[in-house]
Amino acid sequence: MSTSASASAFPGRKIYLIVAAGAVVMSMALGSRQTFGLFISPLSYDYGLPVTLIAFAIALHNLVWGFAQPLAGAATDRWGPAPVVAFGAAAYAAGLAMTALASSGWLLVLGMGVFIGVGISCTSFGVVLTAVGRSVAPERRSMAMGLASAGGSLGQVLMVPLVQGMRSASGITVALMVLALLVLATAPLGLALGRRPSALAAAADPGLNFSLREVVSQACRHRGYRLLTVGFFACGFQLAFIATHLPGYLELCHMPMGLAATALALIGLFNMAGSWACGWLGGRFRQQRVLGWLYLLRSAAIGLFFLAPKSQLSVTLFAAVMGLAWLGTVPLTTGLVARIFGTRHMGTLFGVCFLSHQLGSFLGVWLGGLVLDLTGSYSLLWGATFAAGVLAALLHFPIDDRSVAAPAATA
């Protein structure tokens, strides 16, 4: 079946519905996660839990998310997005409710660290963007995934002030329970994300319709896929360090209170435009080259911000530039995986890449705190995030994005 036949199975109105449903699911999942920093002090003061334990639970959900993502992607490849999103929304809501009612440290770690980590793996990029990518023709895929990512960023802008207001008015227990209900309400939206993948794969990738074992083996031998996976580690390392430790760094620089919250909100706001723009660029230029320049842009922003005198203007400009380059890597990376290997096993293969991303996220959070404790400064980590971006760019430029042939056809 031709590409045009594949695209005709999803008329324009259907595609917009899929993109909108995916954006809402990711808005709730990623927006709720963006608020976790607001609960650290109240959980410590109100529940008597150590700050180090709360930080560990938040870091742990990044790690669980990474290890669960390939499994969530494989489930999506096999059964479609509807049951995976429903299960993830229920697990995510359960984790938030357990956090709200945490009477001991182990319950907090189980809820915020494990349940939320599993839940977000089923309601974020690896599942939602896989469903969106399968719904459109290859020439429109990058743009569609960029739109879904941009819409998903809206939750990161709106949820922080919403939760801040609920926390101030009614306390953290009510705020967390409301978040749980909002996340649970997204469970049915998986039905709008498309059919079972078998029919889609047969229509979209007739030459790449081979088994999971074959495609994973082929991916592991593919030099470009290995470079993409290693480079994605740098993305997680950079973003997790900045999102977690920028407030502390600005405090050490004696910046005004509230400037860090403004910076994080600006990152989310500009991320909406950046995700859309990266999706648009990925549809017109080779995606690995767009990724390479994106990592160089990040490193330039990080290096200039660290060296420049700190002021409200420099912080604002840094947040705006980083927002433009924040999550634009995700639709580009997903699109590149689909370009090389097709869409049938896109969820699984992106999940493996994303595990590398989350390992970087865990180290970005943990090493930031460790280096601060040992040296009293974040200087080493700012240097490391700059170097990681340059290295990632050098790894992405030589990636060969030609579609691989099915093992049977090659034989």
Side-chain angles (χ1 to χ4, degrees), residues 332-388:
L332 292 169
T333 301
T334 313
L336 194 54
V337 170
R339 179 189 294 270
I340 297 172
F341 299 103
T343 60
R344 184 180 180 188
H345 300 293
M346 183 167 66
T348 306
L349 295 179
F350 175 77
V352 175
C353 279
F354 196 73
L355 171 58
S356 173
H357 181 283
Q358 290 306 98
L359 290 173
S361 297
F362 180 83
L363 288 177
V365 174
W366 178 64
L367 288 178
L370 179 65
V371 168
L372 180 65
D373 285 342
L374 293 177
T375 67
S377 169
Y378 286 111
S379 297
L380 289 176
L381 262 294
W382 283 110
T385 55
F386 171 84

Side-chain angles (χ1 to χ4, degrees), residues 77-153:
D77 292 338
R78 183 168 183 177
W79 294 300
V84 179
V85 169
F87 171 79
Y92 201 144
L96 289 168
M98 292 169 67
T99 303
L101 303 174
S103 57
S104 60
W106 71 266
L107 191 61
L108 174 72
V109 170
L110 185 63
M112 182 169 280
V114 179
F115 273 70
I116 289 177
V118 171
I120 200 170
S121 73
C122 300
T123 53
S124 59
F125 309 113
V127 173
V128 173
L129 293 189
T130 294
V132 172
R134 288 193 178 114
S135 69
V136 297
E139 62 271 16
R140 301 173 62 190
R141 184 176 293 144
S142 182
M143 171 65 80
M145 291 191 292
L147 284 173
S149 297
S153 302

Side-chain angles (χ1 to χ4, degrees), residues 186 269 351 408:
T186 65
L269 182 63

Side-chain angles (χ1 to χ4, degrees), residues 236-247 249 360-361 363-365 367-369 378 381-382 385:
F237 183 81
Q238 289 178 316
L239 301 195
F241 168 73
I242 292 171
T244 305
H245 295 290
L246 180 62
Y249 176 70
S361 297
L363 288 177
V365 174
L367 288 178
Y378 286 111
L381 262 294
W382 283 110
T385 55

Side-chain angles (χ1 to χ4, degrees), residues 46-69:
D46 298 350
Y47 292 6
L49 299 172
V51 172
T52 52
L53 180 65
I54 302 168
F56 172 76
I58 295 174
L60 180 62
H61 97 263
N62 284 289
L63 202 58
V64 172
W65 180 6
F67 280 103
Q69 191 63 73

